[in-house]
PDB file of all heavy atoms in Angstrom:
ATOM      1  N   ALA A  23       8.039 -15.013 -16.655  1.00 96.00           N
ATOM      2  CA  ALA A  23       9.175 -15.885 -16.775  1.00 96.00           C
ATOM      3  C   ALA A  23      10.420 -15.095 -17.164  1.00 96.00           C
ATOM      4  O   ALA A  23      10.408 -14.152 -17.871  1.00 96.00           O
ATOM      5  CB  ALA A  23       8.814 -16.901 -17.888  1.00 96.00           C
ATOM      6  N   MET A  73       3.534 -21.840 -14.395  1.00 96.00           N
ATOM      7  CA  MET A  73       3.052 -21.656 -15.786  1.00 96.00           C
ATOM      8  C   MET A  73       2.743 -23.075 -16.283  1.00 96.00           C
ATOM      9  O   MET A  73       3.569 -23.944 -16.338  1.00 96.00           O
ATOM     10  CB  MET A  73       4.227 -21.059 -16.606  1.00 96.00           C
ATOM     11  CG  MET A  73       3.801 -20.260 -17.781  1.00 96.00           C
ATOM     12  SD  MET A  73       3.352 -21.288 -19.155  1.00 96.00           S
ATOM     13  CE  MET A  73       4.992 -21.608 -19.875  1.00 96.00           C
ATOM     14  N   LEU A  75       1.962 -24.507 -19.017  1.00 92.00           N
ATOM     15  CA  LEU A  75       2.475 -25.155 -20.238  1.00 92.00           C
ATOM     16  C   LEU A  75       3.939 -25.664 -20.002  1.00 92.00           C
ATOM     17  O   LEU A  75       4.413 -26.399 -20.816  1.00 92.00           O
ATOM     18  CB  LEU A  75       2.614 -24.076 -21.321  1.00 92.00           C
ATOM     19  CG  LEU A  75       1.289 -23.582 -22.011  1.00 92.00           C
ATOM     20  CD1 LEU A  75       1.628 -22.384 -22.992  1.00 92.00           C
ATOM     21  CD2 LEU A  75       0.623 -24.719 -22.784  1.00 92.00           C
ATOM     22  N   THR A  96      -1.323 -19.165 -11.116  1.00 98.00           N
ATOM     23  CA  THR A  96      -1.093 -20.034 -12.240  1.00 98.00           C
ATOM     24  C   THR A  96      -1.420 -19.276 -13.506  1.00 98.00           C
ATOM     25  O   THR A  96      -2.181 -18.278 -13.491  1.00 98.00           O
ATOM     26  CB  THR A  96      -1.964 -21.330 -12.180  1.00 98.00           C
ATOM     27  OG1 THR A  96      -3.355 -20.936 -12.418  1.00 98.00           O
ATOM     28  CG2 THR A  96      -1.808 -22.076 -10.966  1.00 98.00           C
ATOM     29  N   GLY A  97      -0.875 -19.760 -14.644  1.00 97.00           N
ATOM     30  CA  GLY A  97      -1.152 -19.150 -15.903  1.00 97.00           C
ATOM     31  C   GLY A  97      -1.093 -20.154 -17.055  1.00 97.00           C
ATOM     32  O   GLY A  97      -0.522 -21.202 -16.907  1.00 97.00           O
ATOM     33  N   ALA A  98      -1.703 -19.749 -18.139  1.00 93.00           N
ATOM     34  CA  ALA A  98      -1.614 -20.466 -19.459  1.00 93.00           C
ATOM     35  C   ALA A  98      -2.134 -21.855 -19.424  1.00 93.00           C
ATOM     36  O   ALA A  98      -1.659 -22.770 -20.106  1.00 93.00           O
ATOM     37  CB  ALA A  98      -0.130 -20.453 -19.893  1.00 93.00           C
ATOM     38  N   GLY A  99      -3.203 -22.120 -18.568  1.00 93.00           N
ATOM     39  CA  GLY A  99      -3.786 -23.401 -18.615  1.00 93.00           C
ATOM     40  C   GLY A  99      -4.778 -23.634 -17.476  1.00 93.00           C
ATOM     41  O   GLY A  99      -5.070 -22.761 -16.646  1.00 93.00           O
ATOM     42  N   ALA A 100      -5.296 -24.877 -17.446  1.00 95.00           N
ATOM     43  CA  ALA A 100      -6.336 -25.253 -16.432  1.00 95.00           C
ATOM     44  C   ALA A 100      -5.645 -25.717 -15.178  1.00 95.00           C
ATOM     45  O   ALA A 100      -4.890 -26.640 -15.189  1.00 95.00           O
ATOM     46  CB  ALA A 100      -7.191 -26.335 -17.003  1.00 95.00           C
ATOM     47  N   VAL A 118      -4.654 -17.144 -13.009  1.00 98.00           N
ATOM     48  CA  VAL A 118      -4.872 -16.117 -13.988  1.00 98.00           C
ATOM     49  C   VAL A 118      -5.689 -16.657 -15.115  1.00 98.00           C
ATOM     50  O   VAL A 118      -5.321 -17.765 -15.661  1.00 98.00           O
ATOM     51  CB  VAL A 118      -3.510 -15.563 -14.520  1.00 98.00           C
ATOM     52  CG1 VAL A 118      -3.713 -14.464 -15.511  1.00 98.00           C
ATOM     53  CG2 VAL A 118      -2.616 -15.103 -13.368  1.00 98.00           C
ATOM     54  N   ILE A 119      -6.800 -16.053 -15.422  1.00 98.00           N
ATOM     55  CA  ILE A 119      -7.698 -16.587 -16.459  1.00 98.00           C
ATOM     56  C   ILE A 119      -8.069 -15.413 -17.394  1.00 98.00           C
ATOM     57  O   ILE A 119      -7.875 -14.193 -17.138  1.00 98.00           O
ATOM     58  CB  ILE A 119      -8.978 -17.266 -15.806  1.00 98.00           C
ATOM     59  CG1 ILE A 119      -9.606 -16.315 -14.831  1.00 98.00           C
ATOM     60  CG2 ILE A 119      -8.566 -18.476 -15.188  1.00 98.00           C
ATOM     61  CD1 ILE A 119     -10.493 -15.292 -15.317  1.00 98.00           C
ATOM     62  N   ALA A 120      -8.626 -15.809 -18.599  1.00 98.00           N
ATOM     63  CA  ALA A 120      -8.932 -14.833 -19.592  1.00 98.00           C
ATOM     64  C   ALA A 120     -10.343 -14.913 -20.117  1.00 98.00           C
ATOM     65  O   ALA A 120     -10.637 -14.317 -21.174  1.00 98.00           O
ATOM     66  CB  ALA A 120      -7.866 -14.886 -20.691  1.00 98.00           C
ATOM     67  N   GLN A 124     -13.643 -19.943 -17.784  1.00 98.00           N
ATOM     68  CA  GLN A 124     -12.476 -20.405 -16.933  1.00 98.00           C
ATOM     69  C   GLN A 124     -12.642 -19.901 -15.505  1.00 98.00           C
ATOM     70  O   GLN A 124     -12.331 -20.649 -14.580  1.00 98.00           O
ATOM     71  CB  GLN A 124     -11.162 -19.804 -17.472  1.00 98.00           C
ATOM     72  CG  GLN A 124     -10.771 -20.420 -18.850  1.00 98.00           C
ATOM     73  CD  GLN A 124      -9.702 -19.586 -19.598  1.00 98.00           C
ATOM     74  OE1 GLN A 124      -9.307 -18.516 -19.128  1.00 98.00           O
ATOM     75  NE2 GLN A 124      -9.297 -20.093 -20.706  1.00 98.00           N
ATOM     76  N   ARG A 127     -15.155 -22.010 -13.670  1.00 98.00           N
ATOM     77  CA  ARG A 127     -14.610 -23.376 -13.426  1.00 98.00           C
ATOM     78  C   ARG A 127     -13.621 -23.372 -12.243  1.00 98.00           C
ATOM     79  O   ARG A 127     -13.740 -24.172 -11.361  1.00 98.00           O
ATOM     80  CB  ARG A 127     -13.969 -23.920 -14.686  1.00 98.00           C
ATOM     81  CG  ARG A 127     -13.630 -25.377 -14.692  1.00 98.00           C
ATOM     82  CD  ARG A 127     -13.021 -25.867 -15.978  1.00 98.00           C
ATOM     83  NE  ARG A 127     -13.598 -25.295 -17.144  1.00 98.00           N
ATOM     84  CZ  ARG A 127     -12.900 -24.786 -18.172  1.00 98.00           C
ATOM     85  NH1 ARG A 127     -11.611 -24.905 -18.216  1.00 98.00           N
ATOM     86  NH2 ARG A 127     -13.469 -24.250 -19.252  1.00 98.00           N
ATOM     87  N   GLU A 139      -7.309 -11.440 -16.671  1.00 98.00           N
ATOM     88  CA  GLU A 139      -6.288 -10.748 -17.504  1.00 98.00           C
ATOM     89  C   GLU A 139      -6.810 -10.404 -18.873  1.00 98.00           C
ATOM     90  O   GLU A 139      -7.125 -11.290 -19.662  1.00 98.00           O
ATOM     91  CB  GLU A 139      -5.038 -11.688 -17.570  1.00 98.00           C
ATOM     92  CG  GLU A 139      -3.875 -10.981 -18.241  1.00 98.00           C
ATOM     93  CD  GLU A 139      -2.707 -11.942 -18.407  1.00 98.00           C
ATOM     94  OE1 GLU A 139      -2.634 -12.695 -19.342  1.00 98.00           O
ATOM     95  OE2 GLU A 139      -1.829 -11.877 -17.516  1.00 98.00           O
ATOM     96  N   GLY A 144       0.856  -8.346 -21.526  1.00 98.00           N
ATOM     97  CA  GLY A 144       1.962  -8.863 -22.270  1.00 98.00           C
ATOM     98  C   GLY A 144       2.038 -10.347 -22.215  1.00 98.00           C
ATOM     99  O   GLY A 144       1.329 -10.996 -21.320  1.00 98.00           O
ATOM    100  N   GLY A 145       2.856 -10.986 -23.013  1.00 97.00           N
ATOM    101  CA  GLY A 145       2.971 -12.393 -22.972  1.00 97.00           C
ATOM    102  C   GLY A 145       1.776 -13.112 -23.591  1.00 97.00           C
ATOM    103  O   GLY A 145       1.100 -12.580 -24.468  1.00 97.00           O
ATOM    104  N   HIS A 146       1.560 -14.344 -23.073  1.00 96.00           N
ATOM    105  CA  HIS A 146       0.486 -15.139 -23.596  1.00 96.00           C
ATOM    106  C   HIS A 146      -0.843 -14.591 -23.084  1.00 96.00           C
ATOM    107  O   HIS A 146      -1.032 -14.404 -21.920  1.00 96.00           O
ATOM    108  CB  HIS A 146       0.662 -16.543 -22.975  1.00 96.00           C
ATOM    109  CG  HIS A 146      -0.412 -17.536 -23.277  1.00 96.00           C
ATOM    110  ND1 HIS A 146      -0.900 -17.709 -24.588  1.00 96.00           N
ATOM    111  CD2 HIS A 146      -1.063 -18.361 -22.504  1.00 96.00           C
ATOM    112  CE1 HIS A 146      -1.883 -18.627 -24.565  1.00 96.00           C
ATOM    113  NE2 HIS A 146      -1.951 -19.037 -23.306  1.00 96.00           N
ATOM    114  N   ILE A 147      -1.748 -14.312 -24.026  1.00 97.00           N
ATOM    115  CA  ILE A 147      -3.007 -13.572 -23.651  1.00 97.00           C
ATOM    116  C   ILE A 147      -4.249 -14.252 -24.249  1.00 97.00           C
ATOM    117  O   ILE A 147      -4.204 -15.044 -25.120  1.00 97.00           O
ATOM    118  CB  ILE A 147      -2.984 -12.142 -24.187  1.00 97.00           C
ATOM    119  CG1 ILE A 147      -2.608 -12.043 -25.695  1.00 97.00           C
ATOM    120  CG2 ILE A 147      -1.981 -11.295 -23.388  1.00 97.00           C
ATOM    121  CD1 ILE A 147      -2.750 -10.727 -26.308  1.00 97.00           C
ATOM    122  N   GLY A 148      -5.429 -13.810 -23.705  1.00 96.00           N
ATOM    123  CA  GLY A 148      -6.737 -14.193 -24.276  1.00 96.00           C
ATOM    124  C   GLY A 148      -7.139 -13.194 -25.281  1.00 96.00           C
ATOM    125  O   GLY A 148      -6.363 -12.494 -25.842  1.00 96.00           O
ATOM    126  N   HIS A 229      -1.556 -20.004 -29.322  1.00 90.00           N
ATOM    127  CA  HIS A 229      -0.834 -19.413 -28.167  1.00 90.00           C
ATOM    128  C   HIS A 229      -0.420 -18.010 -28.534  1.00 90.00           C
ATOM    129  O   HIS A 229       0.751 -17.717 -28.764  1.00 90.00           O
ATOM    130  CB  HIS A 229       0.386 -20.197 -27.740  1.00 90.00           C
ATOM    131  CG  HIS A 229       0.080 -21.526 -27.098  1.00 90.00           C
ATOM    132  ND1 HIS A 229       0.749 -22.696 -27.486  1.00 90.00           N
ATOM    133  CD2 HIS A 229      -0.885 -21.957 -26.291  1.00 90.00           C
ATOM    134  CE1 HIS A 229       0.246 -23.712 -26.818  1.00 90.00           C
ATOM    135  NE2 HIS A 229      -0.702 -23.271 -26.081  1.00 90.00           N
ATOM    136  N   VAL A 231       0.765 -14.263 -28.325  1.00 96.00           N
ATOM    137  CA  VAL A 231       1.740 -13.698 -27.386  1.00 96.00           C
ATOM    138  C   VAL A 231       1.906 -12.224 -27.783  1.00 96.00           C
ATOM    139  O   VAL A 231       2.148 -11.905 -28.914  1.00 96.00           O
ATOM    140  CB  VAL A 231       3.092 -14.433 -27.410  1.00 96.00           C
ATOM    141  CG1 VAL A 231       4.157 -13.699 -26.618  1.00 96.00           C
ATOM    142  CG2 VAL A 231       2.931 -15.844 -26.894  1.00 96.00           C
ATOM    143  N   LEU A 263      12.675 -15.667 -25.412  1.00 96.00           N
ATOM    144  CA  LEU A 263      12.329 -14.798 -24.251  1.00 96.00           C
ATOM    145  C   LEU A 263      13.632 -14.690 -23.387  1.00 96.00           C
ATOM    146  O   LEU A 263      13.966 -13.548 -23.004  1.00 96.00           O
ATOM    147  CB  LEU A 263      11.203 -15.388 -23.452  1.00 96.00           C
ATOM    148  CG  LEU A 263      10.795 -14.642 -22.153  1.00 96.00           C
ATOM    149  CD1 LEU A 263      10.391 -13.140 -22.501  1.00 96.00           C
ATOM    150  CD2 LEU A 263       9.731 -15.309 -21.402  1.00 96.00           C
ATOM    151  N   MET A 278       8.429  -9.532 -24.494  1.00 98.00           N
ATOM    152  CA  MET A 278       7.082  -9.592 -24.065  1.00 98.00           C
ATOM    153  C   MET A 278       6.786  -8.333 -23.155  1.00 98.00           C
ATOM    154  O   MET A 278       7.539  -8.012 -22.297  1.00 98.00           O
ATOM    155  CB  MET A 278       6.817 -10.864 -23.224  1.00 98.00           C
ATOM    156  CG  MET A 278       6.831 -12.094 -24.128  1.00 98.00           C
ATOM    157  SD  MET A 278       6.397 -13.530 -23.156  1.00 98.00           S
ATOM    158  CE  MET A 278       6.827 -14.817 -24.338  1.00 98.00           C
TER     159      MET A 278
HETATM  160  O1  TUI B 401       0.275 -17.020 -18.742  1.00 54.16           O
HETATM  161  C1  TUI B 401       0.195 -15.821 -18.950  1.00 54.16           C
HETATM  162  N1  TUI B 401       1.146 -15.174 -19.612  1.00 54.16           N
HETATM  163  C2  TUI B 401       2.256 -15.734 -20.132  1.00 54.16           C
HETATM  164  S1  TUI B 401       2.723 -17.359 -20.002  1.00 54.16           S
HETATM  165  C3  TUI B 401       4.043 -17.089 -20.917  1.00 54.16           C
HETATM  166  S2  TUI B 401       5.148 -18.328 -21.420  1.00 54.16           S
HETATM  167  C4  TUI B 401       4.661 -18.699 -22.981  1.00 54.16           C
HETATM  168  N2  TUI B 401       5.479 -18.563 -23.956  1.00 54.16           N
HETATM  169  C5  TUI B 401       5.130 -18.823 -25.177  1.00 54.16           C
HETATM  170  C6  TUI B 401       3.833 -19.348 -25.536  1.00 54.16           C
HETATM  171  C7  TUI B 401       2.942 -19.422 -24.528  1.00 54.16           C
HETATM  172  C8  TUI B 401       3.310 -19.170 -23.214  1.00 54.16           C
HETATM  173  C9  TUI B 401       4.141 -15.742 -21.297  1.00 54.16           C
HETATM  174  N3  TUI B 401       3.164 -15.034 -20.819  1.00 54.16           N
HETATM  175  N4  TUI B 401      -0.873 -15.138 -18.512  1.00 54.16           N
HETATM  176  C10 TUI B 401      -1.927 -15.751 -17.860  1.00 54.16           C
HETATM  177  C11 TUI B 401      -2.905 -16.278 -18.814  1.00 54.16           C
HETATM  178  N5  TUI B 401      -3.503 -17.445 -18.718  1.00 54.16           N
HETATM  179  N6  TUI B 401      -3.397 -15.694 -19.957  1.00 54.16           N
HETATM  180  C12 TUI B 401      -4.301 -16.568 -20.497  1.00 54.16           C
HETATM  181  C13 TUI B 401      -4.311 -17.642 -19.752  1.00 54.16           C
HETATM  182  C14 TUI B 401      -5.066 -18.810 -19.804  1.00 54.16           C
HETATM  183  C15 TUI B 401      -5.183 -19.510 -20.992  1.00 54.16           C
HETATM  184  C16 TUI B 401      -5.973 -20.736 -21.009  1.00 54.16           C
HETATM  185  C17 TUI B 401      -5.562 -19.376 -18.637  1.00 54.16           C
HETATM  186  C18 TUI B 401      -6.349 -20.482 -18.679  1.00 54.16           C
HETATM  187  C19 TUI B 401      -6.484 -21.181 -19.842  1.00 54.16           C
HETATM  188  O2  TUI B 401      -7.246 -22.282 -19.695  1.00 54.16           O
HETATM  189  C20 TUI B 401      -7.312 -23.254 -20.670  1.00 54.16           C
HETATM  190  C21 TUI B 401      -8.372 -24.189 -20.156  1.00 54.16           C
HETATM  191  O3  TUI B 401      -8.272 -25.355 -20.629  1.00 54.16           O
HETATM  192  O4  TUI B 401      -9.204 -23.804 -19.366  1.00 54.16           O
END
Side-chain angles (χ1 to χ4, degrees):
M73 209 281 276
L75 288 172
T96 67
V118 180
I119 49 83
Q124 288 164 0
R127 195 176 321 135
E139 187 183 84
H146 176 48
I147 52 171
H229 294 135
V231 171
L263 179 59
M278 293 185 188

